[in-house]
Amino acid sequence: MKRAIVIPDQHFPIHDERAVDITLQAIEYIKPEIFINLGDVGEWESVSAWCYKGKRLPNLEDQLVKVNKEIAEVNEGINLFDKVLDKVKCDQRYILAGNHDEWLDHFVNKHPYLIDYTFKKACRWIERGYKYLPYNKPLKLGKLNFIHGAYATTYHAKKHLEAYGSNIVYGHTHDIQRHSLTKLDSGTIGAWAMGCLKDMSPNKNKWLKGRLHNWNHCFGIVTFFDKPKGNFQIEQVEILNGQASIWGKQFNA
């Protein structure tokens, strides 16, 4: 069998340091053969329409100072994962661009001469050895599909499962959910929402304005079985206040 680690929205540089640290420890402990990043790797506030809502856009030269700084910070976050993946010799790596990551591409669409500022190039995904998938293009491994996430309804796991009609793992919503259905011809299928690794405190998420939310820190462990080929098992590992338990072992940030 093979194992994969699946990580949801990090939103560097406003990630949760303890949640990321637990995930890095888990990778070193589990030594997966496959690594899947579900996207929203960066917050990308520097190119966000929300950041400048009701405000005058700065000159491009001034905006690029902020964009360059954020690109450097996001790459530093990616380096944390690549370092431990290199250590455990995990070479099969995938990146699924998220909606926040797409904001960089929208920025380049407005300024097409800045071709090196696309999410794919700015984070050097090909150079890093990842297979790159555009926003919500499904990655299929065995009988399981992975996307960033397409819906944020109250019962989003049910919505994703009904819309895609196949086993699916996603991030995007920042909370943990699971829903299953049994089809007459295809048997039982499921959808799993993987939470996030983003800092959940209002002081780092100004748009929350102090309101309560249902977010959860989490990552996933997927075991792919050799026989029957393509079968799998999913474990949603919730991280609570910088602590998690995996297979009887406690991890502390």
Side-chain angles (χ1 to χ4, degrees):
M1 58 187 177
K2 288 187 176 182
R3 285 204 170 92
I5 292 288
V6 184
I7 68 167
D9 310 37
Q10 304 106 74
H11 291 268
F12 292 116
I14 55 173
H15 58 291
D16 187 275
E17 293 183 1
R18 295 186 300 171
V20 167
D21 182 61
I22 290 291
T23 309
L24 293 171
Q25 290 183 50
I27 292 171
E28 188 167 354
Y29 176 65
I30 294 167
K31 297 177 174 56
E33 290 87 0
I34 304 167
F35 177 73
I36 303 165
N37 190 325
L38 294 175
D40 276 3
V41 181
E43 175 66 15
W44 304 121
E45 182 181 8
S46 60
V47 292
S48 168
W50 298 102
C51 180
Y52 300 106
K53 187 176 181 180
K55 302 177 183 177
R56 178 179 294 179
L57 279 171
N59 294 328
L60 180 59
E61 292 81 2
D62 295 330
Q63 188 179 7
L64 279 176
V65 173
K66 297 180 180 180
V67 176
N68 288 330
K69 180 176 182 293
E70 193 167 15
I71 287 174
E73 291 171 332
V74 173
N75 274 283
E76 287 176 6
I78 300 169
N79 289 343
L80 296 174
F81 284 96
D82 282 357
K83 183 177 179 180
V84 71
L85 291 170
D86 288 342
K87 185 175 181 180
V88 301
K89 296 180 172 57
C90 176
D91 298 324
Q92 191 173 343
R93 308 178 192 182
Y94 300 92
I95 171 63
L96 286 58
N99 56 298
H100 276 245
D101 303 321
E102 256 207 335
W103 293 352
L104 264 184
D105 295 343
H106 296 331
F107 176 69
V108 173
N109 288 339
K110 293 179 182 177
H111 310 285
Y113 43 87
L114 297 175
I115 56 174
D116 289 333
Y117 281 78
T118 63
F119 175 59
K120 186 176 182 179
K121 290 189 175 183
C123 293
R124 310 192 308 275
W125 291 114
I126 304 305
E127 178 186 333
R128 291 176 180 275
Y130 285 72
K131 181 176 180 180
Y132 180 92
L133 287 89
Y135 177 48
N136 276 347
K137 180 178 180 181
L139 165 68
K140 185 174 178 62
L141 298 176
K143 298 178 181 179
L144 188 55
N145 300 278
F146 302 85
I147 63 168
H148 172 67
Y151 305 102
T153 57
T154 301
Y155 304 108
H156 48 80
K158 182 175 185 289
K159 178 65 176 177
H160 278 85
L161 191 57
E162 291 175 342
Y164 285 88
S166 185
N167 295 305
I168 192 162
V169 173
Y170 62 96
H172 184 55
T173 61
H174 296 184
D175 66 321
I176 300 170
Q177 279 192 18
R178 175 179 176 172
H179 187 73
S180 59
L181 292 171
T182 301
K183 299 289 187 178
L184 184 62
D185 296 324
S186 57
T188 301
I189 56 174
W192 293 262
M194 283 296 166
C196 71
L197 297 175
K198 182 178 183 178
D199 190 302
M200 302 189 297
S201 57
N203 64 319
K204 280 200 176 182
N205 297 278
K206 299 174 184 177
W207 61 272
L208 284 174
K209 298 181 180 178
R211 69 177 184 266
L212 299 177
H213 54 74
N214 66 334
W215 295 357
N216 310 97
H217 289 143
C218 182
F219 66 91
I221 304 171
V222 183
T223 302
F224 292 98
F225 298 105
D226 291 333
K227 297 179 181 180
K229 190 173 182 179
N231 279 10
F232 62 88
Q233 172 186 308
I234 294 180
E235 300 170 69
Q236 291 165 301
V237 182
E238 186 173 7
I239 303 168
L240 297 167
N241 298 318
Q243 290 185 316
S245 176
I246 304 170
W247 308 337
K249 178 178 176 61
Q250 181 173 322
F251 292 82
N252 301 288

